Amino acid sequence: MSDRSRTLRPRIESADSVAHSVCPYCAVGCAQLVYVKGGEVTQIEGDPASPISRGRLCPKGAASKSLVTSPHRQLKVKYRRPYGTRWEELPLEDAMEMIVDRVLAARADTWQDTTEDGKPANRTMGIAHLGGATLDNEENYLIKKLYTALGIVQVENQARI
């Protein structure tokens, strides 16, 4: 054995903590172990205890560490105005207010009190939602409750398509 091979240590050896997570890329739900040191993600590996993936990750899942550590990761809200030619940074609060304004305007513009035959509808057909495959049951439950309260009836999830 060379001196270098004798001194090699696993990347996970110095981790302060390990968080259990699920890969964010598809609906399979491969379990991940996220190793953290000093509040920073140092390594992400498959969880051998998972009955789904048994410790294996596809190339995208194996590279998911770059989602949180890549220097190209966007950390600020970017917005391009209609007919604009450049992106501008917005405060998160402003972006959230813009989304709320647009949802409420679309809801008000397309609200139906009754159907064509006079039956109660209390809905909007101007807004639809297609959820991602990595949303869990609890998230989907809350999304459905929110959209139902808003009168949005076209709610679907990618995992079923």
Side-chain angles (χ1 to χ4, degrees):
M1 230 193 246
S2 71
D3 286 337
R4 184 176 189 293
S5 3
R6 260 191 299 282
T7 59
L8 283 176
R9 307 301 328 142
R11 285 179 270 204
I12 62 174
E13 186 177 72
S14 63
D16 298 332
S17 62
V18 180
H20 294 269
S21 186
V22 176
C23 179
Y25 282 111
C26 73
V28 174
C30 296
Q32 294 181 323
L33 297 174
V34 181
Y35 295 89
V36 180
K37 180 177 183 171
E40 302 289 325
V41 174
T42 58
Q43 180 69 9
I44 295 179
E45 296 182 353
D47 186 350
S50 168
I52 296 167
S53 56
R54 296 179 293 182
R56 296 174 185 89
L57 295 173
C58 73
K60 289 192 298 185
S64 60
K65 178 182 171 225
S66 66
L67 283 174
V68 291
T69 61
S70 172
H72 301 294
R73 181 179 181 197
Q74 294 294 319
L75 301 173
K76 298 186 178 181
V77 175
K78 302 286 185 177
Y79 177 68
R80 191 173 70 186
R81 298 192 181 280
Y83 307 105
T85 57
R86 64 179 184 81
W87 292 96
E88 60 184 273
E89 289 181 5
L90 288 180
L92 178 61
E93 294 76 23
D94 293 353
M96 295 298 282
E97 286 298 322
M98 291 169 69
I99 293 167
V100 168
D101 292 344
R102 291 172 184 183
V103 167
L104 293 178
R107 181 178 180 263
D109 291 345
T110 60
W111 187 257
Q112 295 176 338
D113 286 318
T114 58
T115 61
E116 293 78 24
D117 56 354
K119 294 182 180 171
N122 296 322
R123 67 182 181 200
T124 177
M125 299 299 278
I127 305 171
H129 176 265
L130 177 60
T134 59
L135 294 171
D136 61 31
N137 286 343
E138 291 79 13
E139 290 167 318
N140 280 315
Y141 174 80
L142 293 173
I143 286 169
K144 180 66 173 162
K145 293 288 266 186
L146 169 67
Y147 290 145
T148 301
L150 288 170
I152 300 168
V153 295
Q154 302 175 105
V155 180
E156 189 54 79
N157 190 292
Q158 177 188 351
R160 294 183 4 153
I161 294 179

